[in-house]
Amino acid sequence: MSTPTVLVLPSPTQGHVIPMMSLSHKLVEHGCNIIFVNSDFNHERVVTSMENINNNDSSSLYSSPIKLVSIPDGLGPEHDRVNFGELCDSMLSTMPSELEKLIEDMHMKEGIKVTCIVADVYMGWALKVANKLGIKGAFFCPTSASVFVLQYNAPNLVADGILDSDGFPISESEKPLWLSSSIPGMDIESCWWLRLFDPLVEKRMFKYAIHCISHSNLTEWCLCNSTQELEPEAFTLAPKLLTPIGPLLPTTTSSLGQFWKQDMSCMTWLDQQPHCSVVYVAFGSHTLFDQRQFIELALGLELTNRPFLWVVRRDPNCTNYVSLPSEFEGCKGKIIGWAPQKMVLSHPAIACFVSHCGWNSTLEAFCNGVPLMCWPYFGDQFSNKSYVCDGLKVGMGFDSDENGLVSRGEIKAKVDQLISDEDTRSRSQKLMEKLKHSMEEGSTSSKNLSKFVTWLKE
Ligand code: UDP
């Protein structure tokens, strides 16, 4: 059997690059070669974050069986990539031809023949490129299975008159949306494309996502970063396509794929904290705070009188700079720019995770038995929060005050409540045990991945 060369194409965000890098490492273990394609913009960030590392990890950049390459996303370096609508339009008009050129060049100049493209669902157009070049194609779904099936069924929701063709609900009805009798009804407002702040962006993203997913007729595989144990019902709704292979967690042996350098000093700091005492606070790679909310958060953390580890991103491309209030002393806390999150969450000093509920962060909390204080910001984070709080009951949410702010008092009260809630902690621990098995050899996820590799090698 020849060694398959898999081209892995994440959509250009941190929360998609990390799990697709984890998938790449697993495929390498199964004997595949990997070509990992970032946008030029993100490739630069990945390479820079590795070069800044003063240990052996940076050498893996050049010796890894994962070959890092890049193509343009069509926007200049100065462009604001937080505007997803603009980014997606630009990617669609630029990337398909760039991808085709990359594959042909690798073949002609380096003799590399790509066996299969594994494309992020939100880069679904890549399957058309694969089809044109006579290469196999597969999808990777970086969200929960429930979020995927909702998106997958969106054309039916339009046909049934529940959504208009731009993805907006037609009636003002408060009724929940039922995808199947076995899945709890969901609030239509929690559809991820209705949680992007700007109706114009929401409409563009809905159309982009529908366009991408429409390419699912070109593949029989959609590898999903979830497990049968977590979402049994959701997997029954697209049984021929959606295949659980998760949870994929970042590898601790390599930080390849991180956009920012991880600040490892927090690990020695954590070693000095009492068992189950630290509030870990991190909101992923996109969340922006307005100044007033940032102040409440800073003072709320202080008010808990507990040690806290708080990730405050300082992204040079981000115009949204917030500053700490003058009365903030922060003596019990540590603030860092980017954490080795998987290692942090598995540290025994961690008591709870104040999180935006990105799907990766949520899975990482589940796999480490850490209860969540949910503070969703946009997109699918709202449905992930419902899943955590109402479904699995391994976390709680904050309530906003009359000004729409989560006050410092609310932060203290809820963090105290969560940390002292033994039932929630025990459910989190049980969930961790359950998920441990889904990562072991012989589990459904691991068998599914082996089947996929067999298909690659056929
Ligand atoms: N992450 C990290 N360090 C941090 C914050 C986040 O390594 O300080 C990682 C985290 O472990 C997760 C990813 O970044 O794998 C964020 O993905 P998620 O889906 O949670 O959120 P997004 O960034 O997409 O909003």
Side-chain angles (χ1 to χ4, degrees):
M1 253 184 229
S2 64
T3 304
T5 297
V6 183
L7 185 146
V8 175
L9 181 72
S11 83
T13 60
Q14 181 70 100
H16 294 214
V17 169
I18 289 180
M20 291 196 83
M21 188 56 85
S22 305
L23 172 66
S24 301
H25 284 292
K26 290 224 175 233
L27 291 174
V28 167
E29 283 167 23
H30 278 83
C32 302
N33 292 327
I34 303 292
I35 314 278
F36 197 91
V37 186
N38 270 310
S39 63
D40 289 346
F41 182 79
N42 287 339
H43 179 77
E44 180 69 29
R45 300 209 271 188
V46 166
V47 171
T48 308
S49 85
M50 295 292 283
E51 283 173 350
N52 284 339
I53 294 175
N54 204 8
N55 63 23
N56 289 340
D57 210 8
S58 63
S59 61
S60 69
L61 191 54
Y62 305 103
S63 58
S64 166
I66 298 174
K67 184 179 163 75
L68 299 182
V69 297
S70 68
I71 54 176
D73 60 16
L75 296 178
E78 73 297 341
H79 241 95
D80 174 12
R81 285 167 173 78
V82 174
N83 184 335
F84 284 128
E86 204 174 317
L87 177 61
C88 290
D89 285 352
S90 172
M91 290 197 307
L92 211 46
S93 58
T94 315
M95 286 184 130
S97 57
E98 292 288 346
L99 182 64
E100 192 177 330
K101 188 166 164 292
L102 173 82
I103 294 170
E104 285 178 339
D105 278 359
M106 281 192 304
H107 189 202
M108 302 296 279
K109 294 181 188 156
E110 297 173 62
I112 298 173
K113 213 164 176 286
V114 173
T115 319
C116 179
I117 297 182
V118 177
D120 189 325
V121 167
Y122 298 101
M123 302 295 261
W125 45 263
L127 294 199
K128 205 165 157 188
V129 176
N131 195 256
K132 184 176 168 195
L133 300 178
I135 297 171
K136 287 179 176 178
F139 269 160
F140 173 78
C141 169
T143 64
S144 69
S146 322
V147 167
F148 176 85
V149 290
L150 177 63
Q151 178 75 65
Y152 189 62
N153 279 291
N156 298 332
L157 300 176
V158 174
D160 292 348
I162 296 167
L163 299 175
D164 69 17
S165 59
D166 293 332
F168 297 113
I170 287 175
S171 80
E172 293 294 307
S173 155
E174 293 285 312
K175 278 188 204 144
L177 178 65
W178 294 87
L179 280 181
S180 125
S181 55
S182 61
I183 295 189
M186 52 184 138
D187 173 12
I188 192 123
E189 297 295 335
S190 68
C191 293
W192 69 262
W193 59 86
L194 299 173
R195 294 291 197 150
L196 303 177
F197 309 119
D198 173 352
L200 277 179
V201 174
E202 290 171 344
K203 174 179 156 176
R204 273 160 112 177
M205 288 304 293
F206 179 74
K207 298 216 160 188
Y208 176 78
I210 295 281
H211 172 73
C212 284
I213 292 190
S214 72
H215 293 83
S216 58
N217 63 341
L218 296 175
T219 183
E220 52 209 90
W221 291 98
C222 180
L223 308 172
C224 181
N225 188 14
S226 185
T227 70
Q228 193 70 42
E229 290 80 359
L230 267 181
E231 302 182 273
E233 297 87 3
F235 281 106
T236 62
L237 291 181
K240 290 212 178 99
L241 181 67
L242 204 56
T243 310
I245 56 150
L248 293 169
L249 300 180
T251 52
T252 34
T253 47
S254 162
S255 49
L256 200 60
Q258 298 282 335
F259 288 179
W260 297 278
K261 188 185 162 204
Q262 297 171 324
D263 185 338
M264 302 304 286
S265 68
C266 62
M267 299 311 296
T268 25
W269 180 85
L270 281 173
D271 289 344
Q272 290 152 13
Q273 309 306 320
H275 179 80
C276 204
S277 66
V278 175
V279 182
Y280 174 55
V281 188
F283 300 96
S285 56
H286 293 290
T287 311
L288 300 175
F289 274 88
D290 85 5
Q291 182 64 53
R292 284 188 313 157
Q293 186 59 81
F294 190 74
I295 290 175
E296 289 306 311
L297 174 55
L299 298 179
L301 289 175
E302 207 154 57
L303 211 55
T304 63
N305 199 28
R306 298 174 187 276
F308 59 87
L309 176 63
W310 183 12
V311 177
V312 180
R313 279 185 347 267
R314 289 292 182 206
D315 192 348
N317 299 93
C318 177
T319 46
N320 177 267
Y321 268 108
V322 278
S323 41
L324 288 164
S326 53
E327 63 269 46
F328 178 78
E329 290 172 2
C331 26
K332 280 208 166 181
K334 181 168 174 70
I335 298 181
I336 54 174
W338 193 246
Q341 180 162 299
K342 190 196 163 198
M343 290 167 84
V344 167
L345 285 170
S346 61
H347 197 286
I350 297 296
C352 73
F353 181 12
V354 179
S355 169
H356 69 311
C357 297
W359 184 239
N360 295 291
S361 295
T362 304
L363 283 178
E364 289 158 19
F366 289 172
C367 291
N368 287 292
V370 177
L372 285 145
M373 260 327 305
C374 301
W375 194 335
Y377 175 66
F378 80 159
D380 63 344
Q381 296 155 13
F382 291 88
S383 36
N384 298 343
K385 176 200 163 186
S386 311
Y387 187 47
V388 169
C389 300
D390 312 328
L392 296 167
K393 299 190 174 18
V394 291
M396 293 168 55
F398 290 114
D399 292 319
S400 305
D401 66 12
E402 61 286 1
N403 301 315
L405 290 179
V406 177
S407 70
R408 60 194 84 170
E410 167 73 1
I411 292 167
K412 176 188 160 40
K414 287 284 170 64
V415 166
D416 283 350
Q417 193 182 334
L418 182 69
I419 291 181
S420 58
D421 181 347
E422 287 304 326
D423 291 342
T424 302
R425 181 162 311 281
S426 139
R427 278 190 293 272
S428 305
Q429 294 288 321
K430 282 193 188 129
L431 181 60
M432 173 178 73
E433 291 303 325
K434 194 165 153 182
L435 289 178
K436 243 186 213 156
H437 301 303
S438 52
M439 290 185 280
E440 281 166 2
E441 231 181 284
S443 64
T444 310
S445 285
S446 120
K447 281 188 198 152
N448 285 340
L449 192 66
S450 299
K451 270 189 223 157
F452 176 69
V453 175
T454 306
W455 173 80
L456 281 178
K457 291 181 178 172
E458 269 165 15

